[in-house]
Amino acid sequence: MSNRNDLGGTSRPYIVCHMLTAVDGKITGPFMKTPEARIINEEYERTNETYHPQAWMCGRVTMDDYFTLGHKPELEENVSVYPRTDYVANPNAEMYIVSVDPSGRLGWTQNYVDYLSRPRAHIIEVLTGKVSDAYIAYLRKYGISYIFAGEDSLNCALAAEKLKSLFGIKVLMLSGGGFLNWSFLQEGLIDELSIVMAPLTDGETNTVTLFEKADYLPPKAPVAFSLESVEPVNGDGVWLRYTVKK
Ligand SMILES: NC(=O)c1ccc[n+]([C@@H]2O[C@H](COP(=O)([O-])OP(=O)(O)OC[C@H]3O[C@@H](n4cnc5c(N)ncnc54)[C@H](OP(=O)(O)O)[C@@H]3O)[C@@H](O)[C@H]2O)c1
């Protein structure tokens, strides 16, 4: 098993895919709104803290669901054109939230997120060359950090390396959704899979699961995991920890 306390030799953070699931692998749906899921969510937060992360990362859809809530960015015309280079607005934040938003769609209105009992997190947007000059100016206006990872398509490995070299992030919690999780898994970038499983299901057929392959990604062979530990948690949940079989 990789040792997350011995990260000196690697050029990217130790990456833990940490997720709350139903018994059927779903990560969203009516089950999440039950009192039982609330208890498991507390366990999800407790187990998250045990990794002592400096950042967590989510995909554009998750960010919109939890934080920007459908708000569109107010893009101005005739903006200053900033160079297409990485921008570090805050190199010393206690916590970072990394937002994978390749085309620049999220309507942030401040440069931080307050979430549950986590420390205030400074926002880092992960962009590609598809983003507009107006969106870059918009991020600058709010003092939001951003990095470029790929021209037409997202380069997850490059994003991970920049998070370590520019922000000093050593432990990164990859926290969904399913499409982002699969992107990292298929590039061999997940060190550990940490699942807090809730004793629930809702039978929905149109909700996403832990790993979902986007149509624009090539097919890959199935991925196998090695079991590291199993622990019961409050609320009849189970904390499962796996490493990826090499
Ligand atoms: N239970 C849990 O622990 C947990 C945790 C997190 C999220 N969730 C749930 O998961 C759901 C959302 O999951 P999701 O899988 O639909 O969305 P997601 O992974 O949050 O976001 C997907 C979006 O991220 C961008 N993206 C991700 N991978 C990419 C790649 N390889 N290349 C280019 N762009 C990429 C794309 O944005 P564009 O479309 O802008 O190109 C893509 O549409 C929400 O309902 C949320 O509540 C649950």
Side-chain angles (χ1 to χ4, degrees):
M1 179 179 176
S2 318
N3 180 357
R4 62 178 182 272
N5 297 315
D6 178 22
L7 303 160
T10 59
S11 59
R12 63 164 177 84
Y14 184 83
I15 301 179
V16 182
C17 180
H18 183 61
M19 296 294 292
L20 189 164
T21 72
V23 289
D24 52 15
K26 296 283 169 58
I27 60 169
T28 188
F31 85 91
M32 286 291 275
K33 299 201 164 65
T34 62
E36 290 87 349
R38 222 166 289 138
I39 299 170
I40 300 299
N41 201 43
E42 285 169 14
E43 293 298 277
Y44 177 80
E45 288 299 309
R46 181 183 64 77
T47 50
N48 187 71
E49 276 177 30
T50 66
Y51 290 94
H52 304 293
Q54 293 83 41
W56 83 96
M57 171 187 272
C58 297
R60 196 263 309 162
V61 175
T62 301
M63 290 300 184
D64 213 22
D65 274 6
Y66 279 77
F67 301 113
T68 50
L69 309 175
H71 184 78
K72 300 280 177 257
E74 295 118 24
L75 302 184
E76 292 170 14
E77 287 173 16
N78 306 318
V79 289
S80 318
V81 176
Y82 290 96
R84 287 177 172 255
T85 50
D86 306 322
Y87 175 60
V88 179
N90 183 351
N92 300 310
E94 184 182 356
M95 183 63 69
Y96 292 98
I97 180 164
V98 184
S99 165
V100 176
D101 182 18
S103 306
R105 292 183 173 156
L106 291 169
W108 299 108
T109 51
Q110 54 194 26
N111 68 357
Y112 63 86
V113 154
D114 288 320
Y115 182 63
L116 302 177
S117 60
R118 297 185 184 192
R120 175 164 288 184
H122 175 75
I123 300 167
I124 305 171
E125 278 261 309
V126 178
L127 307 171
T128 64
K130 290 191 284 194
V131 73
S132 67
D133 289 332
Y135 193 73
I136 296 171
Y138 170 78
L139 295 179
R140 287 275 188 151
K141 181 172 132 191
Y142 283 105
I144 294 171
S145 297
Y146 52 83
I147 57 175
F148 285 91
E151 196 45 44
D152 295 324
S153 60
L154 179 69
N155 182 333
C156 300
L158 181 59
E161 283 174 19
K162 287 185 175 185
L163 291 175
K164 185 162 190 187
S165 63
L166 297 176
F167 298 91
I169 295 168
K170 291 185 181 152
V171 177
L172 172 68
M173 307 307 279
L174 173 64
S175 304
F179 285 95
L180 183 63
N181 289 348
W182 178 259
S183 302
F184 270 66
L185 186 67
Q186 56 113 44
E187 284 199 34
L189 293 170
I190 293 182
D191 298 296
E192 187 173 330
L193 174 61
S194 167
I195 299 172
V196 183
M197 194 177 74
L200 289 160
T201 182
D202 54 28
E204 288 289 318
T205 53
N206 59 356
T207 44
V208 287
T209 66
L210 189 51
F211 293 108
E212 300 274 351
K213 188 185 86 60
D215 292 342
Y216 49 77
L217 292 178
K220 287 271 173 164
V223 177
F225 300 93
S226 302
L227 186 64
E228 297 294 334
S229 65
V230 183
E231 201 179 294
V233 298
N234 283 339
D236 291 334
V238 183
W239 182 22
L240 298 162
R241 293 175 64 201
Y242 291 97
T243 48
V244 178
K245 257 189 193 166
K246 301 289 178 203

